[in-house]
Amino acid sequence: MSQEHSSSRSSVSRIDASVSLPVRLFIISSILWLLVASVLSLIVALKLQVPSFLSDCAWFTYGRLEVLQRNAFIYGWASNALFALNLWIMSSLARFELKSSWLPVLGGLVWNLTLTYGLIQVLLGQLNGFALLEMPKEVAPAMVVAFLFAALWPAVAFARRPTGNVFVSQWYIIGATFVFPVITVVAQLMLLWCPTLGVMQALVHSWFYQNLILLWLGGSALSAIYYFIAKESGRTISAYYLATVGFWTYFLFASWTGPATLLGAPIPVWLQSVGVVAALMMLVPIVITAVNFFGTLAPRSGIAQSWNNTTLRFVLVGTVSFIVSALLSVVFSTRSLNALVRFTEFTQAQEHLAVYSFVSMVIFGAAYYILPRLTGSFWPSAKLVHLHFWASTLGSLLFVVAGLNHGWAAHGRTDFAVSALPGLVAAALLFVGHFAFALNAFGMLTAEEAPSSRRSY
Amino acid sequence: MTDPHSSNNHSQRSSHDGSEGSSDSRLVEAHSQLAKNKEEPSEGFSSLPIVIVFLFCGFGFWAGVYLTRNAGGFSANSFDLDAPRLVADSGPKAFEPDLAKGQALFIQQCSACHQATGLGVPGAFPPLAGSPWPLGNDERIIKIVLAGLAGEIEVKGTKYNGNMPNIGAGLKDAQVANIVSYVRSAWGNNAEAVTDVKVAEVRKAIGGRAQYSPKEILEAHPLETK
Amino acid sequence: MSDSNNSRPAISGQVASWLGVIAFVAVAIAVIAYAYLAFRSHDGVDADRRVAQKALRADLESKAKGKLTDSGRNADGTYHIPVDAAVALIAAKPEILAKLRQPSTNGGEAPPAPVFTNGNK
């Protein structure tokens, strides 16, 4: 760490103070959703091991709970946390003091209330058949409006930046911010409101899904990675001029990878091939980001240093997961290999790698950086931070390995047996980690209101 | 391992306003400077960009080749690389015997002698219904239809000594196949259909030969049942 | 940065930029949505086909009904239907039995049985 220590603890910067209210709202709600999602994934994993568990009541059947878990995780946890992250990073970089913070707060409230309503509907059995669009169709317009209120402020901050200078994180945030409303509205229109015909639906859905995961979640997380690596290491990004290329190729190719997930489906073969090409061309941004990150950190034993820094340690795991998940999807979008693993847990593992090991780990790292600056107090317990890190890392590793193993075992066979136990253990580990994180975060958020109860290290 | 964390905690307290606030603008500024000058930091990676450029060119080349090879001609009707012929004008279709046509042709060509009921005329024209001749090996009936049959035969216990002309010689393969398929499935007869390919084969094998004698055809294709 | 104590405009600069960004997003969505809907109206072929199919089905149905009317009708205006169907009908609605009457040969004046009569007679 190259930064000078400052002694006064009450110094929350003006910029941080201006975004404090919405960022807090987003972070608190995201953590609550994270807890909900972790409990649900524990139940879901348990059901895979003991199918009769809670299966008597229609509400708690696997089909509904699994949907609930994904939606709570993506829209509740990841999206809320990224609202906070994008707003905070962008306003820091663009020196933006938010004046009307009630607008994003309003947006956040509407977002979370509609999400709750939608998930209750799912629990009652009102599901659509499209992954991550399962909630009843009246939910989406409300969520898009809420998004416009809650999450467009980074774009405002960018538009009103004092100087013309731009850092790569800002591009990624802007890109991700514009992608979300557009893909959601278009996908809803083409799938639920005036549905397209036949396999076009699968095509539109794959486009929506890949864009949501790679561009909205992934793009936002990449911005955070660039920001924290530069910021926490105190170095400039190496081979920085490649970052522009990386950004454009990432947004160009990621949005085309949808059809690669539909290999073998009855869609025109040229679309599948374009998807495969796009998936392979993702190597360009992957190589560039890898060069950027490891070029910055590798010299002067930067990796070892970042291992000792809470934020960078999480970010590092996230970065490695990003690269691994992107490489896996490159390799397994080749037709012959894809034929082996499609329809298996392998795809689950890949998704988990992207959504959890990459995006969520980066969010955790960012939270460890942002919250102290927002509240002006410490993380209550370093032990819990350790617990969180190891539980999350090992849990997600186990989850991914279990999924990949299942995929390999299943390919081309019908008589295979793979225990669901590793998945259960992984879910339990993740639950423990998230609980530790939540404990720490809420300890911090409440400690500030009652300064006397603050613990110091 | 707790040490770095606590120190980390301390350093994280540094505020945003003074040192860090400017550190954020410095970060932005330094990087836009970098982007303008395209300067490489001295350590490591200096030879990397050229390699990367070549690498990316390679990807682009591969992508082009892959697309031209695997895009199915960018046709909206091509769905599977392995079976591109399944779609659109895929040459001659597989033959499907048409029993309705077969029946019509049978009425035209054969019913004068064998009757529409297939029962024939006792003593003159043998029955096809319940006769073992049309059943079993399909080459026997195809040959009879193509080349005709003359000589003494016994069908269902009745002797016939007639003369059946080479009716099939004037019909197309598909027509013969339809008639034969019809005969083999009508009036309680139950044998598989016959394809035009099979008829063509037989026609080629026997050439323009004269009528068969019962002995000759039964030697080549003995009756399966009595 | 701080626009300190100047008279504040009705819409602050930030909110104005925000509305601008929203307008931008809205335009993007509108363009895509319009493109989609315009493209979609082209395949009215499909809607036509659906309508034609419906018409065909209705036609066939009425023809089938017509057949029933002609060949299945008794001289006294009732219908005869296959035994299986009658059994199934009775099994589903036992109360029909009460209304059934024997195919009368002697009394043409008996009122037609409600179940098997033609609706438009």
Side-chain angles (χ1 to χ4, degrees):
Chain A
M1 292 287 305
S2 61
Q3 274 140 19
E4 55 279 48
H5 290 203
S6 118
S7 47
S8 62
R9 74 157 289 276
S10 61
S11 48
V12 174
S13 82
R14 285 237 308 284
I15 290 177
D16 286 356
S18 80
V19 295
S20 162
L21 193 60
V23 169
R24 262 170 218 237
L25 170 74
F26 295 142
I27 288 190
I28 290 174
S29 33
S30 75
I31 295 177
L32 290 178
W33 283 117
L34 178 66
L35 292 179
V36 171
S38 331
V39 172
L40 286 172
S41 69
L42 202 58
I43 299 178
V44 166
L46 201 58
K47 274 170 163 298
L48 282 183
Q49 179 73 8
V50 189
S52 60
F53 175 66
L54 278 185
S55 61
D56 297 333
C57 175
W59 286 25
F60 300 116
T61 42
Y62 182 85
R64 294 187 194 178
L65 289 190
E66 208 261 354
V67 166
L68 219 57
Q69 191 268 336
R70 277 155 159 278
N71 281 275
F73 192 86
I74 302 267
Y75 294 118
W77 151 247
S79 294
N80 263 313
L82 289 176
F83 294 163
L85 223 63
N86 288 350
L87 180 58
W88 191 86
I89 291 179
M90 188 59 110
S91 51
S92 303
L93 283 174
R95 321 291 309 137
F96 176 75
E97 270 181 57
L98 181 62
K99 296 262 163 48
S100 20
S101 57
W102 64 276
L103 282 171
V105 167
L106 180 71
L109 289 176
V110 175
W111 175 273
N112 286 302
L113 287 179
T114 21
L115 183 60
T116 314
Y117 166 79
L119 291 187
I120 289 177
Q121 290 296 313
V122 167
L123 201 60
L124 296 179
Q126 298 285 341
L127 283 82
N128 297 313
F130 300 102
L132 291 183
L133 287 177
E134 287 104 341
M135 288 184 282
K137 64 180 175 187
E138 67 268 16
V139 168
M143 296 218 356
V144 169
V145 171
F147 184 93
L148 296 182
F149 276 83
L152 282 193
W153 295 96
V156 174
F158 184 76
R160 300 177 70 79
R161 67 193 184 281
T163 65
N165 295 337
V166 183
F167 180 57
V168 52
S169 289
Q170 289 166 295
W171 308 331
Y172 277 101
I173 291 179
I174 290 292
T177 304
F178 282 127
V179 158
F180 183 86
V182 174
I183 58 165
T184 316
V185 169
V186 172
Q188 293 274 342
L189 182 73
M190 294 178 77
L191 293 177
L192 302 181
W193 294 93
C194 2
T196 48
L197 298 168
V199 289
M200 259 299 266
Q201 293 187 351
L203 206 57
V204 172
H205 178 253
S206 74
W207 167 81
F208 162 78
Y209 195 82
Q210 290 296 92
N211 275 262
L212 184 77
I213 297 215
L214 291 179
L215 294 187
W216 162 236
L217 302 182
S220 304
L222 275 175
S223 101
I225 293 183
Y226 271 108
Y227 179 77
F228 288 111
I229 283 190
K231 184 90 184 175
E232 280 286 61
S233 71
R235 304 172 183 180
T236 52
I237 301 289
S238 135
Y240 179 69
Y241 58 92
L242 284 178
T244 329
V245 185
F247 167 77
W248 286 110
T249 47
Y250 186 73
F251 271 74
L252 178 64
F253 294 131
S255 59
W256 272 94
T257 53
T261 60
L262 292 178
L263 283 184
I267 57 170
V269 75
W270 72 269
L271 273 170
Q272 302 177 28
S273 291
V274 168
V276 172
V277 164
L280 187 113
M281 292 305 275
M282 284 290 282
L283 279 175
V284 174
I286 298 167
V287 168
I288 289 177
T289 40
V291 166
N292 282 159
F293 301 145
F294 295 107
T296 309
L297 287 184
R300 288 178 274 133
S301 65
I303 303 267
Q305 281 171 32
S306 39
W307 190 251
N308 289 333
N309 174 310
T310 316
T311 299
L312 276 188
R313 189 193 285 194
F314 277 96
V315 168
L316 210 62
V317 173
T319 310
V320 172
S321 309
F322 165 66
I323 293 170
V324 171
S325 92
L327 285 179
L328 270 187
S329 61
V330 168
V331 171
F332 283 95
S333 57
T334 44
R335 285 192 156 82
S336 46
L337 287 176
N338 183 281
L340 297 182
V341 295
R342 70 171 76 123
F343 308 132
T344 68
E345 291 284 308
F346 189 89
T347 42
Q348 294 280 91
Q350 251 176 308
E351 187 195 313
H352 183 89
L353 202 57
V355 172
Y356 191 89
S357 312
F358 164 37
V359 175
S360 299
M361 289 305 262
V362 171
I363 295 175
F364 291 139
Y368 282 113
Y369 185 90
I370 293 175
L371 276 181
R373 285 163 174 76
L374 210 61
T375 60
S377 53
F378 304 129
W379 285 97
S381 158
K383 287 211 183 69
L384 284 181
V385 177
H386 272 288
L387 180 64
H388 175 206
F389 177 80
W390 286 112
S392 281
T393 308
L394 295 180
S396 68
L397 194 68
L398 189 60
F399 203 97
V400 169
V401 170
L404 299 187
N405 178 36
H406 177 275
W408 280 118
H411 72 74
R413 278 194 278 154
T414 46
D415 58 331
F416 66 96
V418 172
S419 162
L421 201 59
L424 184 58
V425 174
L429 273 174
L430 294 185
F431 177 76
V432 169
H434 298 159
F435 196 70
F437 173 64
L439 218 60
N440 235 344
F442 284 127
M444 188 164 180
L445 287 162
T446 50
E448 176 215 18
E449 273 138 41
S452 55
S453 67
R454 190 169 20 91
R455 292 170 60 192
S456 64
Y457 275 77
Chain B
M1 277 295 264
T2 39
D3 249 10
H5 274 284
S6 44
S7 79
N8 189 27
N9 253 335
H10 279 291
S11 62
Q12 278 185 357
R13 296 172 48 221
S14 55
S15 82
H16 233 228
D17 232 358
S19 56
E20 292 226 5
S22 54
S23 100
D24 266 321
S25 357
R26 255 190 284 127
L27 186 149
V28 175
E29 216 163 287
H31 282 96
S32 19
Q33 205 59 36
L34 273 181
K36 275 174 206 142
N37 295 346
K38 302 205 186 306
E39 247 174 13
E40 266 300 291
S42 48
E43 66 266 294
F45 293 112
S46 46
S47 60
L48 209 55
I50 292 295
V51 178
I52 287 184
V53 168
F54 279 123
L55 199 65
F56 292 172
C57 288
F59 291 160
F61 180 73
W62 173 88
V65 171
Y66 186 86
L67 266 189
T68 40
R69 289 229 183 120
N70 295 289
F74 288 96
S75 147
N77 289 324
S78 155
F79 295 96
D80 189 351
L81 278 181
D82 303 328
R85 292 273 215 74
L86 271 184
V87 228
D89 41 2
S90 53
K93 270 201 243 142
F95 177 80
E96 279 282 324
D98 186 333
L99 296 182
K101 275 187 194 158
Q103 181 174 24
L105 282 165
F106 178 85
I107 303 280
Q108 262 178 35
Q109 306 285 339
C110 329
S111 65
C113 304
H114 294 287
Q115 306 303 307
T117 55
L119 294 174
V121 178
F125 304 113
L128 300 177
S131 156
W133 287 67
L135 311 180
N137 189 340
D138 51 8
E139 283 186 27
R140 180 170 53 242
I141 177 170
I142 295 177
K143 280 179 178 168
I144 292 177
V145 171
L146 286 178
L149 180 70
E152 195 188 76
I153 64 170
E154 191 187 320
V155 179
K156 296 217 273 185
T158 314
K159 287 219 159 68
Y160 298 88
N161 195 348
N163 186 332
M164 169 167 162
N166 58 344
I167 301 172
L171 299 173
K172 291 184 186 146
D173 293 339
Q175 289 177 314
V176 174
N178 281 335
I179 298 180
V180 171
S181 299
Y182 170 72
V183 170
R184 279 160 73 85
S185 67
W187 321 296
N189 285 352
N190 190 7
E192 319 87 81
V194 170
T195 65
D196 58 345
V197 180
K198 181 76 190 195
V199 174
E201 269 171 23
V202 174
R203 198 195 291 268
K204 206 173 155 207
I206 63 178
R209 59 155 291 151
Q211 283 163 311
Y212 279 95
S213 70
K215 190 167 164 264
E216 187 184 356
I217 195 144
L218 286 181
E219 254 165 32
H221 311 290
L223 294 176
E224 287 82 0
T225 51
K226 268 286 161 197
Chain C
M1 266 218 104
S2 55
D3 39 4
S4 46
N5 41 17
N6 304 357
S7 60
R8 294 178 65 201
I11 295 181
S12 81
Q14 288 189 359
V15 175
S17 319
W18 176 62
L19 292 175
V21 174
I22 289 187
F24 184 75
V25 171
V27 167
I29 291 174
V31 166
I32 297 179
Y34 176 75
Y36 165 54
L37 292 176
F39 166 76
R40 213 176 118 78
S41 66
H42 271 292
D43 54 22
V45 188
D46 200 86
D48 290 353
R49 198 167 37 193
R50 249 182 256 168
V51 170
Q53 217 149 37
K54 228 180 212 172
L56 182 70
R57 220 175 295 144
D59 193 42
L60 285 179
E61 203 164 310
S62 70
K63 266 188 197 151
K65 273 205 186 121
K67 261 187 194 151
L68 178 72
T69 330
D70 292 338
S71 62
R73 184 178 318 165
N74 299 327
D76 61 354
T78 58
Y79 291 93
H80 47 260
I81 60 175
V83 174
D84 307 0
V87 170
L89 208 61
I90 291 170
K93 265 191 179 179
E95 61 268 25
I96 287 178
L97 266 182
K99 300 179 186 166
L100 270 183
R101 82 191 147 91
Q102 298 298 317
S104 56
T105 41
N106 48 350
E109 70 284 343
V115 186
F116 298 129
T117 42
N118 190 351
N120 48 33
K121 250 214 140 184

